[in-house]
Amino acid sequence: MFAEPAIKRNPDQAAFECELAVIGSLLVPLTGAEAAGIVRARLRPEHFSDGALSAVYRAVLDTLDQRGCVSLALLKPRLPSDPEFIRLWPGFMASAAASAATVYDLPGYVDAVIQAANRRMLAQAASDTMTALRAGADPTEHARLLIETGDAVLSAAEWSRPSNASLGDAIDRALNDAEQRKANGSVPAISWGLTDLDRQTGGLEPGDYAVLAGRPGMGKTALMIAIMLAAAQRGSGSVLFSLEMKTEQIALRAVCAWASRWGEPIDFFEVRQGRYTSDEIRRLREAKAELSSLPVRIDSAAGLSVPEMTARARRYRDDFARKGHRLGIVGVDYIGLVPASGRYGGNRTNEVGEISAGLKRLGMALDVACVAASQLSRQVETRDNKRPMLSDLRDSGTIEQDADLVLFPYRESYYAAKELEKLRAAPNADQAAIMDAEQTAMDTENVLEVAVEKQRQGPTGSVRLFCNMGAGVIRDRAGC
Ligand SMILES: Nc1ncnc2c1ncn2[C@@H]1O[C@H](COP(=O)(O)OP(=O)(O)OP(=O)(O)O)[C@@H](O)[C@H]1O
């Protein structure tokens, strides 16, 4: 066994031997490329216990990619140039080649390397925290560090579920899903609770990241609440992280919307002012009883970061599971209020990119759909046609790339009402124009368009839903 200090500084001998076996497997002439396919998806250079090993791993993968095979001569230009490393690495490569894992055993070795990396990371965070706390450091800052580290460890454990990498198994799962849908009449894995939107998108899948983007007032929050409640009613537990509104405000909107689904609308603004009839309060109490039995949680803790949301969502998921429910949707209202890590020194585009990628990871790690609201810039309103376009997301970090689905809720009535106000306030009011505008405002009052502008797994298109913004109702138009 090769064990000189420049390569092997970490005391964890067993982990080091696994790292050696992994690198060795990539050096085997006939199966190196296959081994690379197995390790690449899960093992990152940082998982190795030593910078020199990370460099070797990276160099071997790059060489396999570009040349299709590895040899000491091909690797040499890609490796660290410090003299001690150069002296030791031929011996190290010989040891690695001698202890190579077979492609059959490789997943187990990869697990062991990741496990050891997580052990080191967690131990380091715990030891740094202890040292800092003993020296009087701010506990909240260190609690955040521990949550972030714990989240990274748990996410890695969830990513490493067996069989995810096998194409054959994945095809089986996809075909089984398709058969099940055929048998159940195309019931989606996670329904939006809105038939037309389900038809347009096929519903949501665990791991999907969907973004509801629009200007303020378009109905993003109302749509988010409607989706959460309807999904829960159809059996998918849902958690809404509301960074904008308090739980009580969301709850009032939810109960008014639920009580108003098919009857006379109950305006949440009026109820909040204490203005309601005895019939309305009776309907609200009935709606409350129904909603209380649904697996829905509203979490409005201020300033939650993505790792904090992930940690909390995991707890909600486990809590639901204990009660026999499955967490299906995690909603975030809205991305602009999620704090970033500070790594990008205030560069908001990069920060939004970090948050967006984190939300995609949250969905993948917890096997749930993540639905996040995002506010578009004023630029949308400088155009005659104020319907948003994908290019309006260009300033929003990598949202457009990260999202599996991008939906633009749009209410013509919002602009029609403004136009009417403007016409009425004009000094020489044009009566014909006012009548036209009144007609448009009336025709559009209960219409919410949702444009599906990006869908990774299907076509784009637009659906028209019924809305009553005062009551927060958003539902299918059927029966209107
Ligand atoms: N009683 C009411 N009658 C008509 N419209 C109403 C009523 N109450 C609220 N609204 C409208 O509903 C919209 C707010 O909906 P919602 O909060 O879902 O939008 P949003 O897109 O989330 O907005 P923001 O980004 O500002 O939070 C606003 O345009 C508001 O004017």
Side-chain angles (χ1 to χ4, degrees):
M1 166 58 55
F2 184 82
E4 296 232 19
I7 298 283
K8 162 93 185 71
R9 281 190 286 269
N10 194 290
D12 189 341
Q13 183 68 22
F16 175 72
E17 284 170 14
C18 292
E19 292 170 2
L20 209 58
V22 168
I23 291 181
S25 73
L26 302 172
L27 304 175
V28 177
L30 287 177
T31 55
E34 189 183 347
I38 295 171
V39 298
R40 192 194 304 275
R42 296 186 45 216
L43 204 55
R44 296 192 304 272
E46 325 65 277
H47 284 130
F48 286 83
S49 58
D50 186 288
L53 287 175
S54 306
V56 172
Y57 175 66
R58 201 179 285 120
V60 173
L61 284 186
D62 287 350
T63 309
L64 275 171
D65 279 349
Q66 283 166 21
R67 310 298 286 263
C69 61
V70 219
S71 69
L72 293 187
L74 289 174
L75 278 177
K76 199 170 173 187
R78 299 173 192 274
L79 291 171
S81 55
D82 72 89
E84 198 180 8
F85 182 86
I86 289 171
R87 185 175 68 79
L88 295 172
W89 82 273
F92 164 76
M93 294 305 267
S95 300
S99 55
T102 66
V103 287
Y104 301 106
D105 296 332
L106 193 51
Y109 282 90
V110 171
D111 281 344
V113 173
I114 294 175
Q115 185 87 347
N118 286 338
R119 200 179 300 124
R120 285 192 301 276
M121 186 165 67
L122 207 52
Q124 187 65 51
S127 131
D128 289 352
T129 302
M130 260 165 66
T131 312
L133 292 179
R134 282 188 182 133
D138 174 4
T140 49
E141 204 174 292
H142 283 271
R144 199 175 285 260
L145 170 77
L146 286 177
I147 286 173
E148 284 179 14
T149 312
D151 177 55
V153 169
L154 287 171
S155 298
E158 270 152 355
W159 269 97
S160 65
R161 280 191 207 110
S163 86
N164 276 355
S166 152
L167 178 62
D169 289 351
I171 292 173
D172 273 345
R173 285 196 299 276
L175 293 182
N176 288 344
D177 279 357
E179 274 172 11
Q180 217 167 13
R181 284 195 187 199
K182 190 175 162 84
N184 297 342
S186 281
V187 176
I190 304 166
S191 167
W192 293 100
L194 298 158
T195 314
D196 290 339
L197 203 50
D198 279 346
R199 200 172 292 132
Q200 176 66 42
T201 60
L204 289 158
E205 298 280 341
D208 274 352
Y209 171 42
V211 174
L212 310 179
R215 288 288 299 146
M218 283 298 120
K220 299 182 294 297
T221 303
L223 183 58
M224 186 76 93
I225 296 172
I227 292 165
M228 298 277 141
L229 300 185
Q233 192 189 24
R234 284 164 172 75
S236 293
S238 55
V239 173
L240 174 59
F241 290 106
S242 169
L243 286 85
E244 187 182 37
M245 280 190 237
K246 291 200 320 200
T247 303
E248 291 72 18
Q249 293 171 312
I250 297 281
L252 182 61
R253 280 180 171 224
V255 74
C256 288
W258 200 254
S260 312
R261 275 172 307 160
W262 302 105
E264 277 295 300
I266 304 177
D267 193 308
F268 56 78
F269 177 76
E270 293 296 315
V271 176
R272 195 158 67 95
Q273 310 306 313
R275 294 192 288 264
Y276 50 78
T277 65
S278 54
D279 180 56
E280 284 172 341
I281 195 71
R282 181 190 55 75
R283 286 166 57 207
L284 289 171
R285 296 252 173 246
E286 278 171 16
K288 186 254 163 188
E290 281 184 42
L291 289 179
S292 301
S293 64
L294 296 184
V296 180
R297 300 284 181 275
I298 314 288
D299 189 330
S300 62
L304 289 180
S305 64
V306 175
E308 286 167 326
M309 281 191 261
T310 309
R312 283 175 181 237
R314 193 174 277 114
R315 284 212 301 274
Y316 289 122
R317 180 193 63 180
D318 296 346
D319 186 40
F320 280 154
R322 276 192 292 277
K323 294 172 180 142
H325 299 297
R326 186 181 191 286
L327 177 61
I329 300 186
V330 171
V332 178
D333 190 14
Y334 60 91
I335 291 180
L337 293 177
V338 179
S341 66
R343 189 176 305 151
Y344 295 104
N347 177 327
R348 197 53 195 158
T349 305
N350 289 347
E351 287 183 349
V352 172
E354 177 192 70
I355 293 159
S356 171
L359 292 176
K360 169 72 187 162
R361 271 199 306 279
L362 181 158
M364 299 286 279
L366 271 63
D367 214 20
V368 299
C370 180
V371 181
S374 173
Q375 247 179 36
L376 294 174
S377 72
R378 259 176 231 290
Q379 190 194 323
V380 178
E381 284 170 3
T382 59
R383 296 192 295 262
D384 285 343
N385 184 347
K386 295 177 175 50
R387 284 176 179 78
M389 304 183 292
L390 275 185
S391 55
D392 293 320
L393 281 171
R394 216 141 273 167
D395 298 333
S396 314
T398 50
I399 289 180
E400 187 187 341
Q401 292 96 294
D402 297 329
D404 300 295
L405 290 125
V406 175
L407 279 65
F408 291 127
Y410 174 81
R411 288 191 303 119
E412 182 72 39
S413 65
Y414 177 86
Y415 296 108
K418 286 192 165 186
E419 178 63 18
L420 187 57
E421 223 173 277
K422 203 171 82 188
L423 286 170
R424 282 180 177 152
N428 299 316
D430 175 345
Q431 289 310 318
I434 290 178
M435 276 170 64
D436 275 355
E438 280 172 347
Q439 190 62 45
T440 311
M442 253 165 52
D443 292 347
T444 56
E445 188 187 349
N446 295 122
V447 180
L448 172 73
E449 292 174 37
V450 180
V452 180
E453 282 293 320
K454 175 179 175 187
Q455 181 172 200
R456 236 192 265 284
Q457 308 277 19
T460 58
S462 183
V463 300
R464 283 161 74 83
L465 302 170
F466 171 89
C467 69
N468 179 309
M469 298 312 292
V473 174
I474 293 181
R475 59 169 164 79
D476 293 319
R477 288 184 70 73
C480 290

